Amino acid sequence: MTSSNTSRQNNLAGIMTMCGGVAALCINDALAKSLMDHYSPIQIIFLRNIIALPFAFLVALKMGGSRSLRSSRVHVHFMRGVVWIAATVMFFTSIHHLGLAEATALAFVAPLFITALSAIFIARVGWRRWLAVSVGFVGVLVIVRPGAATFELISLLPVATAFTYALLMLSARFVDARESMWTLLLYLSLTSAILTSIPVMFVWSPVRAEDIWLFLAIAFFGTSGITMITQAFRFAEAPTVAPFDYTALIWATALGWLFWGETPDMLTFVGAAIITASGLFVIFRESKVAAES
């Protein structure tokens, strides 16, 4: 009975932490959208990581000890940093031109890309998951509507973001298995700050006094969101907490409407529902396959 209660408490803690982390990242995206009117994505990424780096260092030290500060494969972390910067630049650019909910919905094809890439490079993927991937991309077509008068090429950027994010997730396999998740988070912030330190000089805009708190906030919410989502997977199993990642659609819709008056049309909601359903099926199917193996 005690074990059952503990499991329920851990699941609840995982779900609540996941929802909090997702909300924080959505606020991070909304802050980035507001800053894009005056600053380039590179400058936003650079300042966010420079401000967040001390916090990431302390979290890694607290959670993983001094071992979490060292890595035997620094070159892999730099490779992941390049991919992370590419994904962030594309997503920040997309939300500058698209509605927050629309861009978020399209970016949710990332689990489908992970499944497809896994089939190519890692392991066999069954026909059910391939069907889910295909259905998910139908959802993308519903939102993007290629060939329609409302089609915008910029709407493909969140899809490209999802692809690079999938590469980032799969690249974790090249990191030393003995390194903790906290090491990955620390080095992602560190390498992103280093890699953007040179190009930021060519796109630098003086930081306005009224925007300082926005940069502090984006560093806080971005780092806190990633940390909470990571911690959620420590509290509970992935199939329990992963589906709550899709609560981002609720937050993105609410924030987009509240600050920019964005109201997604019905086809965007339909496409988002298709992508979400496909992603959830992939999550549950992969957990079932893992349990059977």
Side-chain angles (χ1 to χ4, degrees), residues 12 26 90 97 117 121-122 124 136 150 180 191 204 245 272 281:
L12 180 60
C26 286
M90 287 190 290
H97 299 280
L117 290 171
F121 298 108
I122 300 173
R124 178 178 173 273
T150 56
S180 69
T191 56
W204 183 267
D245 191 22
F281 179 84

Side-chain angles (χ1 to χ4, degrees), residues 77-117:
H77 290 291
F78 269 91
M79 176 192 72
R80 299 183 79 242
V82 171
V83 175
W84 178 241
I85 290 168
T88 308
V89 167
M90 287 190 290
F91 190 69
F92 283 180
T93 303
S94 71
I95 60 178
H96 183 54
H97 299 280
L98 301 173
L100 199 58
E102 180 182 354
T104 301
L106 289 169
F108 270 125
V109 296
L112 308 181
F113 275 126
I114 292 173
T115 299
L117 290 171

Side-chain angles (χ1 to χ4, degrees), residues 28-29 43-53 84 88 92 192 215 218-220 222-223 226:
N28 169 84
D29 294 339
Q43 185 171 348
I44 295 172
I45 296 168
F46 172 76
L47 289 174
R48 182 184 69 180
N49 285 291
I50 284 295
I51 296 169
L53 195 54
W84 178 241
T88 308
F92 283 180
S192 296
F215 280 107
I218 200 173
F220 172 78
T223 307
I226 294 173

